[in-house]
């Protein structure tokens, strides 16, 4: 049903989980919706607004007073189950909990982590190199962030298969687990570590965050669970999706591989530009006040979907947005791949470092690679769009 305050001209049928053509090209599937209107209402998934123009996506992302993050997703039920800290909080409460999380992920810790991330990436590359082919998503993109997360929370890599199953359910749910079961499985996995770190803090990420008081008070067990769950779910499929898109770009543009191999000092700028060009995260908000935008009114209670892709690839926001230009030298704060405003990704520094290390290690270890002939690349939509299959080949 379309609410009375939504003009008929703004009504579309666009399923964010399955936009037409998403299997072939996530970005093109979204761009088909960018018709300059600014805001449309889709009847799919219970009905919600979608911001479709770059300026509107960004302005609504910044409007944390009137657009709450409590819902987590436009799909009913997910937010109630997950209760992420700090992602689903607003205002002063959000700030109070975000501060210790930011401190735990501060850049000096990210810098200190780099050698371990390098070691993980190097080992994975060394295993793949002689094979002369791989399915990049399963063989690399999904494994690297998992191993890094385990290293950060100081847990043996032997736990990888268990956590990988959870990661796969989150990224590519096969219907075998409900959202509630997924949350429970994550909590069951994380709890022994949380309990130990709360009792006797070490040097790991959870210990660092949980040792920081929240406005002078210690973390409660419930808040600690919600925060650790947020970090687990926030840092796995996002990084995997990003690395997948970066690898896809390089496979399609061998000249960029050659350039970065010849001039590795370009890699940090290349990482920033590739992250701008291939944004795959979209966020949801629930309006807590009326917001007049672009000739329509988002009413308090409405849900709004903000796809980063329609900001970063809008020619009114970025010059030649589809072109990858390593000399573009934009501040990463200008694009919305990592969000904007109060909730901007607390893992941004870590995510950037992971992409840089991936580029450095992969390009050093794997010779010129290409898409495997006759094996299609497939993608998926949803809150984190991603390649689901990326078959690559190279000759030693
Ligand atoms: C390329 C990889 C990543 C991308 C594209 C990404 C994207 C985002 C975006 C768009 C937001 C804003 C959400 C919103 O406005 O509702 C966000 C927030 C967040 N991200 Fe990331 N992220 C990445 C990696 C990570 C990593 C590695 C971690 C941690 C280990 C992480 C943890 C979080 C958390 C906890 C928040 C919530 C911040 C808040 O609400 O204040 N992310 N991320």
């Amino acid at each position: 049903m379309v609410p009375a305050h939504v003009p008929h001209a703004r009504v579309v049928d666009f399923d964010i989980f399955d936009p037409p053509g998403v299997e072939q090209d996530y970005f093109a599937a979204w761009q088909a919706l960018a018709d300059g209107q600014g805001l449309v209402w889709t009847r799919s998934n219970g009905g919600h607004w979608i911001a479709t123009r770059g300026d509107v996506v960004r302005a609504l992302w910044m409007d944390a007073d009137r657009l709450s993050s409590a819902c987590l997703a436009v799909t009913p039920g997910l937010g109630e189950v997950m209760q992420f800290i700090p992602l689903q909080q607003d205002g002063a409460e959000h700030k109070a909990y975000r501060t210790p999380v930011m401190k735990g992920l501060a850049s000096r810790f990210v810098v200190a982590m780099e050698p371990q991330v390098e070691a993980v990436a190097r080992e994975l590359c060394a295993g793949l190199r002689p094979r002369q082919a791989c399915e990049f998503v399963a063989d690399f993109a999904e494994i690297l962030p998992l191993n890094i997360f385990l290293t950060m929370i100081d847990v043996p890599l032997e736990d990888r298969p268990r956590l990988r199953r959870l990661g796969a359910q989150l990224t590519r749910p096969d219907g075998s687990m409900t959202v509630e079961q997924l949350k429970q499985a994550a909590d069951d996995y994380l709890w022994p570590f949380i309990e130990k770190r709360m009792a006797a803090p070490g040097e790991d990420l959870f210990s660092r965050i949980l040792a920081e008081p929240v406005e002078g008070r210690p973390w409660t067990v419930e808040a600690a669970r919600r925060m650790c769950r947020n970090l687990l779910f926030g840092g796995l499929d996002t990084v995997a999706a990003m690395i997948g898109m970066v690898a896809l770009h390089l496979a399609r543009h061998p000249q960029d591989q050659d350039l970065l191999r010849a001039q590795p000092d370009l890699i940090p700028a290349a990482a920033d530009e590739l992250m701008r060009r291939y944004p795959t995260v979209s966020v949801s908000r629930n309006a807590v006040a009326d917001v007049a935008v672009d000739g329509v009114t988002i009413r308090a209670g409405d849900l709004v979907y903000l796809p980063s892709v329609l900001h970063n690839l809008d020619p009114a926001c970025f010059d030649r947005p589809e072109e990858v230009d390593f000399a573009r030298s934009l501040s990463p704060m200008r694009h919305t791949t990592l969000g904007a405003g109060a909730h901007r990704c607390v893992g941004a520094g870590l995510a950037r470092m992971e992409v840089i290390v991936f580029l450095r290690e992969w390009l050093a270890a794997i010779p010129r690679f290409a898409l495997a002939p006759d094996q299609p690349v497939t993608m998926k939509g949803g809150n984190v769009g991603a390649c689901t299959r990326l078959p690559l080949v190279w000759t030693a």
Side-chain angles (χ1 to χ4, degrees):
M1 201 191 74
V2 178
H5 64 282
V6 177
H8 287 302
R10 300 296 182 111
V11 178
V12 296
D13 289 300
F14 188 89
D15 181 354
I16 55 156
F17 293 101
D18 195 17
V22 74
E23 275 243 328
Q24 290 76 42
D25 189 338
Y26 168 88
F27 302 97
W30 267 103
Q31 280 173 293
L33 198 60
D35 63 356
Q37 292 212 80
L39 212 56
V40 295
W41 176 276
T42 178
R43 281 186 279 228
S44 304
N45 296 302
H48 60 86
W49 294 104
I50 303 177
T52 56
R53 219 176 51 220
D55 59 330
V56 178
V57 172
R58 194 178 168 84
L60 294 179
W61 216 314
M62 300 297 286
D63 197 343
D65 291 339
R66 294 183 295 176
L67 296 172
S68 161
S69 292
C71 62
L72 180 62
V74 292
T75 33
L78 193 65
E80 285 86 340
V81 172
M82 290 301 178
Q83 295 292 326
F84 288 141
I85 285 180
L87 187 60
Q88 287 179 253
Q89 297 173 306
D90 294 315
E93 187 190 35
H94 168 249
K95 196 162 171 250
Y97 282 94
R98 181 179 160 96
T99 305
V101 181
M102 293 272 284
K103 285 188 182 166
L105 284 159
S107 56
R108 67 178 187 283
F109 297 119
V110 173
V111 170
M113 272 293 295
E114 195 165 327
Q116 285 161 286
V117 176
E118 262 167 21
V120 169
R122 205 166 289 164
E123 192 193 327
L124 281 174
C125 291
L128 290 176
R129 187 187 151 92
R131 284 171 42 185
Q132 300 188 17
C134 74
E135 195 292 280
F136 186 81
V137 175
D139 291 337
F140 192 96
E142 287 178 353
I143 297 181
L144 184 74
L146 263 179
N147 285 9
I148 290 167
F149 188 78
L150 291 170
T151 310
M152 274 191 330
I153 63 169
D154 194 17
V155 166
L157 289 189
E158 290 87 83
D159 278 8
R160 193 170 76 196
R162 183 163 169 207
L163 204 50
R164 196 170 177 205
R165 269 195 303 279
L166 290 184
Q169 285 302 323
L170 187 75
T171 358
R172 296 186 253 167
D174 61 6
S176 66
M177 269 176 137
T178 62
V179 176
E180 178 66 52
Q181 286 167 333
L182 180 60
K183 182 215 104 177
Q184 199 52 51
D187 279 7
D188 290 347
Y189 175 76
L190 292 170
W191 174 240
F193 309 117
I194 301 173
E195 193 179 25
K196 211 166 136 198
R197 312 293 189 256
M198 286 182 94
E203 298 293 310
D204 60 285
L205 176 66
F206 286 172
S207 293
R208 285 201 303 271
I209 298 174
L210 293 170
E212 286 288 336
V214 181
E215 290 199 318
R217 293 182 305 276
W219 285 78
T220 64
V221 164
E222 181 54 19
R225 282 179 185 272
R226 291 169 59 189
M227 180 275 293
C228 294
R229 199 187 295 149
N230 194 167
L231 287 183
L232 172 69
F233 286 139
L236 295 186
D237 61 333
T238 48
V239 177
M242 178 53 64
I243 290 178
M245 291 301 178
V246 170
L248 174 63
H249 173 88
L250 292 176
R252 284 180 172 156
H253 299 88
Q255 71 281 13
D256 283 350
Q257 296 183 37
D258 297 345
L259 178 63
L260 296 179
R261 280 196 194 92
Q263 295 184 49
D265 51 321
L266 288 180
I267 285 178
D272 290 336
E273 170 64 348
L274 290 164
M275 288 175 86
R276 177 205 64 80
R277 172 60 183 82
Y278 297 101
T280 59
V281 176
S282 304
V283 303
S284 305
R285 298 290 190 254
N286 52 297
V288 289
D290 288 2
V291 185
V293 191
D294 199 47
V296 296
T297 302
I298 299 168
R299 283 273 160 83
D302 288 353
L303 292 166
V304 188
Y305 200 67
L306 306 176
S308 175
V309 50
L310 294 187
H311 172 248
N312 290 7
L313 297 186
D314 182 341
C317 298
F318 297 92
D319 190 28
R320 303 164 287 118
E322 291 185 42
E323 207 175 292
V324 168
D325 176 0
F326 297 155
R328 197 182 281 270
S329 82
L330 285 173
S331 151
M333 302 297 275
R334 260 202 60 203
H335 64 67
T336 47
T337 299
L338 295 154
H343 287 271
R344 189 172 186 274
C345 183
V346 287
L350 175 64
R352 180 172 187 267
M353 184 266 277
E354 290 186 51
V355 175
I356 291 173
V357 170
F358 153 63
L359 283 168
R360 230 167 34 212
E361 297 303 323
W362 182 271
L363 290 170
I366 308 289
R368 225 185 203 227
F369 58 97
L371 296 177
D374 310 323
Q375 293 184 52
V377 174
T378 55
M379 299 192 189
K380 69 158 186 96
N383 300 318
V384 183
C387 291
T388 46
R389 277 188 60 78
L390 178 52
L392 299 179
V393 288
W394 58 87
T395 36

